[in-house]
Amino acid sequence: MAALLRALRVGSALRGLGSVVSAPAAQPPCSSLTRGFHRAALRLQDESKADKPPSSSPSSTTYHEHYRAHSAEQEAAGAPQEHSASEPAAKEASRPNTSYQDQSGEQGEEYETEEQLQARILTAALEFIPLHGWTVEAIAAGAEMLGLSSASTGMFYNGAGDLVLHFVSQCNSQLTDILAEQHNQVQLGQAEPKKTAEFLRDAVETRLRMYIPYIETWPQAMSILLLPHNIPDSLKHLSTLVDDMWYYAGDRSTDMNWYTKRAALTGIYNTTELVMLQDSSPDFQDTWDFLDNRIQDVVNMATTAKQVQATGETVVQGLMGAAVTLKNLTGLNQRR
Amino acid sequence: MAASMRLLFRRVIRLSHRNVNVTAAGAPGRPAGCWEPPSCRCFSEAAGDRSTHFGFETVPETEKAKRVYKVFENVAQKYDTMNDAMSLGVHRLWKDTLLHVMHPQPGVRLLDVAGGTGDIAFRFLEYVRFQQERQKRRAARLMQAPSWQDISNNYSTEEEDGPQESRAVVCDINKEMLRVGKQKADGLGISAGLSWVVGDAEELPFDDDQFDIYTIAFGIRNVTHIDQALQEALRVLKPGGRFMCLEFSKVTNPVLARLYDVYSFQMIPVLGEVIAGDWKSYQYLVESIRKFPDQEEFKGMIEDAGFYSAKYCNLTGGVVALHSGFKL
């Protein structure tokens, strides 16, 4: 786990240089690469713990040396040259957080990136939402719980918006994991495939149940999501959510249906969410009934649409027939 | 009287012809009255004594601190008046912006280095006090009809942790500036949570991990070794603490830059002479602004010192830049 975090950290530094290192996003099957980083990073950490640099050149030169030393066993042979060219990003990414760690030598979170740290703060802040609401105070309380000063909330330039968006994307990824798991179960034959309507119903219910711990303050969160500068991000999360749901429901359409299906599900999801805010029945039973009815409506509408089309064709045929008959009766059709 | 006026006029004319990009070659024809001749002492010192810039002059590093001290000793009494005159009051907006970006939570400890007359510290205390009052009002609104349980809870938890704990420490190397600041504080009636400490930004008299926020407003360009000051800032900040620096910087817009240069070199020393009776100090001020690294370079220095998430934003088109970094 620690090695993975280190790999991610150093990998993201390399990504910034535009080099082609495969470590960052993928779970590393190239374990030799991460081990190489691990060793280099460990040695760097020891060296800079030994001499606290007022000038940062010693640590950077050791970093470069070790990089060159390990370049043979790493695939990123091209990286060192680019590394020496752009110091600050690499140094910033690789310098150990000696200030943030107690000196007992715990190396668990030392090499995480800023984004990971921000994610951790926001996750910790979720606990304090019932108390403070979706506000910067909640983020401050979360930071303090992690041992950081509350001044670190300044990192979140969008304030409460960052917190809400983080929570939404966290719920989305949880849902995706659950749906993928169900999909695997079906593939392995351990579970029965559900019908589309039922699948969607369960997916929406699972997703909305994630809001239950925060349902008191959820209206505040929704209003934050609707702020103009947050709308692009919140729309993006909503659209990926709906897309994922349809994908796991088995939709592979490539025509107009793609849009209509997603639009329908977006409508269902949003209206159900609003109903949930005002629901006071035990375990939100009213909400799930509402959801059932809406999905049933959509299903009915689909069948009705087909029927209407069929009926329409029949009606047109009938009218054509009537017209021909009339023409025959009046004698216009005769050919002399 | 007439002689000094003639001297003034001659200076004005000379300066109006001066190119802005004069480097540390020394001021042409500056009367050798109060300043010691700088270039003679530059390279005659013992080995290891490097030189640095003092405005457009080059001075030995050991000299710079002393001369900066003298400058601020001279201007301390009229410092605030001059700030208002030179910036037409806009410096208040800059400092207010600093506070808004800082958005301090109740209970944080602020260290204001080179804080001199205490502007930032006063604003900080007022901001925190306002936030706390707003929170109390919000809590009171929610408690319009308290139950007996709530009332008994209120009585049992009288010791609220947040409010009384916000503390501001003003640190300055110059005793005169601190004295003026203390007088101001007494005049405004602010005393709770405020302390005044004499200290050097390159060697702060505080332990590690003491403060949540470290600010330095319009002071870091006077420090001889800026990287040392940044290192010290990193040291005294708690994990998660924030470094914020308000400083004059490079104007991005070329038209505005030209106007700004003309204003700086023509108007400000004159204002200094008229209001504070000290031309040279304000000449130093304007020159030291030109010698300070620009926004990107300073951001690089902040990152080199070990701060993360270093950012800056330009105020007033780049006249002032607000840099911020975190100790993570």
Side-chain angles (χ1 to χ4, degrees):
Chain A
M1 184 57 187
L4 170 60
L5 280 173
R6 279 189 208 98
L8 280 172
R9 186 186 180 83
V10 184
S12 71
L14 292 176
R15 205 186 328 156
L17 304 171
S19 59
V20 188
V21 178
S22 59
Q27 313 302 310
C30 39
S31 50
S32 62
L33 184 64
T34 57
R35 248 182 278 128
F37 284 149
H38 179 135
R39 249 174 282 148
L42 256 186
R43 219 173 299 181
L44 169 65
Q45 171 220 335
D46 288 341
E47 297 234 6
S48 28
K49 259 186 184 159
D51 56 324
K52 200 94 168 76
S55 62
S56 37
S57 39
S59 54
S60 66
T61 47
T62 52
Y63 182 68
H64 296 328
E65 281 168 24
H66 291 126
Y67 236 84
R68 275 184 225 113
H70 290 291
S71 66
E73 49 179 277
Q74 293 172 7
E75 303 150 26
Q81 282 69 34
E82 297 173 54
H83 247 288
S84 48
S86 61
E87 273 197 359
K91 269 203 299 232
E92 177 185 320
S94 68
R95 180 175 290 113
N97 290 334
T98 50
S99 62
Y100 175 41
Q101 276 299 317
D102 51 336
Q103 301 296 323
S104 61
E106 276 183 68
Q107 297 175 10
E109 288 97 354
E110 274 204 26
Y111 291 95
E112 62 180 357
T113 60
E114 284 169 35
E115 288 85 19
Q116 286 174 333
L117 179 63
Q118 288 182 1
R120 277 206 312 141
I121 295 179
L122 292 176
T123 312
L126 292 177
E127 273 182 48
F128 296 93
I129 287 173
L131 178 59
H132 292 288
W134 299 86
T135 55
V136 180
E137 282 86 19
I139 305 180
E144 277 171 6
M145 198 183 82
L146 288 182
L148 295 175
S149 155
S150 63
S152 54
T153 58
M155 276 199 291
F156 302 103
Y157 289 96
N158 203 1
D162 277 336
L163 184 56
V164 180
L165 289 170
H166 168 84
F167 175 64
V168 168
S169 77
Q170 198 182 45
C171 290
N172 286 355
S173 30
Q174 278 177 6
L175 179 72
T176 319
D177 291 339
I178 292 174
L179 293 180
E181 182 57 38
Q182 287 178 0
H183 185 72
N184 281 347
Q185 298 258 316
V186 168
Q187 296 285 64
L188 294 173
Q190 290 171 4
E192 289 297 317
K194 296 185 204 166
K195 294 172 62 65
T196 311
E198 196 192 327
F199 181 89
L200 290 176
R201 189 214 170 283
D202 287 339
V204 174
E205 182 182 339
T206 315
R207 179 63 174 78
L208 286 176
R209 277 191 184 275
M210 296 181 195
Y211 290 158
I212 290 181
Y214 308 102
I215 199 69
E216 303 279 313
T217 46
W218 192 246
Q220 185 189 11
M222 283 183 78
S223 66
I224 291 173
L225 284 176
L226 286 173
L227 288 173
H229 55 265
N230 287 331
I231 284 185
D233 289 317
S234 58
L235 276 183
K236 187 184 66 163
H237 283 123
L238 180 62
S239 59
T240 47
L241 170 71
V242 170
D243 192 30
D244 283 339
M245 282 202 230
W246 267 119
Y247 177 79
Y248 283 105
D251 173 50
R252 300 286 182 272
S253 53
T254 49
D255 53 357
M256 202 57 189
N257 277 333
W258 192 93
Y259 294 98
T260 53
K261 282 180 173 172
R262 276 148 187 78
L265 187 56
T266 309
I268 294 174
Y269 177 80
N270 281 338
T271 48
T272 315
E273 194 181 352
L274 286 172
V275 166
M276 192 171 162
L277 290 179
Q278 312 200 10
D279 193 2
S280 50
S281 60
D283 195 34
F284 298 92
Q285 198 49 46
D286 287 349
T287 311
W288 313 135
D289 294 338
F290 177 87
L291 176 61
D292 283 334
N293 292 340
R294 294 292 77 69
I295 293 201
Q296 207 51 47
D297 284 347
V298 171
V299 167
N300 288 347
M301 204 142 53
T303 42
T304 313
K306 275 196 213 107
Q307 284 173 355
V308 162
Q309 199 182 20
T311 313
E313 281 171 14
T314 322
V315 165
V316 165
Q317 277 180 0
L319 284 174
M320 289 297 293
V324 168
T325 312
L326 271 177
K327 273 164 105 180
N328 286 340
L329 285 176
T330 56
L332 288 173
N333 240 3
Q334 291 205 6
R335 272 194 222 162
R336 279 198 233 159
Chain B
M1 174 62 184
S4 65
M5 287 304 290
R6 245 179 283 138
L7 211 55
L8 196 65
F9 273 111
R10 240 181 274 149
R11 270 192 214 152
V12 171
I13 295 168
R14 226 179 281 128
L15 288 166
S16 66
H17 290 314
R18 184 198 297 204
N19 190 350
V20 173
N21 290 324
V22 164
T23 52
R30 181 175 286 187
C34 301
W35 302 126
E36 302 155 43
S39 31
C40 311
R41 308 224 357 225
C42 257
F43 301 105
S44 65
E45 299 288 342
D49 203 352
R50 294 185 309 220
S51 62
T52 180
H53 53 84
F54 180 80
F56 287 157
E57 283 179 60
T58 306
V59 299
E61 283 184 345
T62 45
E63 278 290 302
K64 173 159 179 174
K66 272 184 255 167
R67 292 183 54 176
V68 168
Y69 193 96
K70 240 187 297 179
V71 163
F72 281 95
E73 205 176 28
N74 293 340
V75 306
Q77 291 298 329
K78 292 285 177 64
Y79 186 72
D80 291 319
T81 322
M82 274 304 296
N83 279 347
D84 275 329
M86 287 190 291
S87 66
L88 306 172
V90 183
H91 75 105
R92 296 162 190 261
L93 296 178
W94 292 330
K95 290 170 182 159
D96 289 340
T97 309
L98 173 65
L99 256 298
H100 277 286
V101 171
M102 190 198 297
H103 193 55
Q105 301 297 314
V108 298
R109 298 187 60 195
L110 171 82
L111 173 64
D112 185 20
V113 176
T117 49
D119 275 341
I120 305 288
F122 298 151
R123 281 175 170 76
F124 168 80
L125 289 171
E126 200 184 310
Y127 194 100
V128 175
R129 197 170 46 87
F130 181 76
Q131 295 277 67
Q132 282 162 3
E133 280 178 12
R134 201 167 63 158
Q135 275 182 2
K136 270 195 215 127
R137 255 183 285 138
R138 207 184 296 159
R141 225 179 295 138
L142 292 174
M143 298 266 286
Q144 285 297 338
S147 65
W148 284 114
Q149 191 63 37
D150 291 330
I151 295 177
S152 71
N153 281 347
N154 274 349
Y155 276 114
S156 58
T157 59
E158 270 304 339
E159 287 308 309
E160 224 178 82
D161 204 24
Q164 270 65 40
E165 281 214 6
S166 305
R167 289 188 35 217
V169 178
V170 180
C171 176
D172 200 296
I173 198 174
N174 196 306
K175 295 192 194 68
E176 269 308 309
M177 297 284 280
L178 286 176
R179 203 169 301 157
V180 173
K182 255 188 254 186
Q183 284 171 2
K184 243 173 62 175
D186 294 336
L188 290 173
I190 302 175
S191 56
L194 190 56
S195 11
W196 307 85
V197 176
V198 176
D200 184 357
E202 297 177 19
E203 212 176 312
L204 290 170
F206 303 109
D207 286 332
D208 299 355
D209 298 347
Q210 288 289 313
F211 297 99
D212 296 284
I213 304 175
Y214 174 109
T215 57
I216 182 164
F218 304 116
I220 201 162
R221 70 179 188 281
N222 299 316
V223 172
T224 317
H225 300 108
I226 295 180
D227 48 349
Q228 275 188 27
L230 293 174
Q231 289 288 327
E232 279 292 287
L234 190 69
R235 184 180 66 83
V236 301
L237 276 176
K238 287 186 201 164
R242 190 172 194 182
F243 166 85
M244 305 191 74
C245 171
L246 202 60
E247 192 52 77
F248 291 106
S249 201
K250 296 284 179 290
V251 179
T252 41
N253 184 329
V255 173
L256 199 58
R258 192 81 192 94
L259 287 172
Y260 179 56
D261 287 338
V262 168
Y263 178 76
S264 303
F265 284 97
Q266 310 302 343
M267 285 293 300
I268 288 182
V270 174
L271 279 175
E273 183 62 41
V274 167
I275 299 183
D278 193 348
W279 176 287
K280 296 190 193 79
S281 301
Y282 288 93
Q283 184 72 36
Y284 161 71
L285 172 121
V286 176
E287 289 174 359
S288 63
I289 293 175
R290 295 301 177 286
K291 294 303 277 189
F292 189 70
D294 70 355
Q295 285 92 326
E296 280 294 332
E297 211 183 310
F298 189 52
K299 175 179 156 198
M301 290 169 76
I302 295 178
E303 283 174 353
D304 287 344
F307 289 100
Y308 289 87
S309 195
K311 284 194 174 67
Y312 66 87
C313 71
N314 285 337
L315 308 175
T316 323
V319 174
V320 170
L322 169 57
H323 283 82
S324 148
F326 291 90
K327 174 177 176 175
L328 293 177

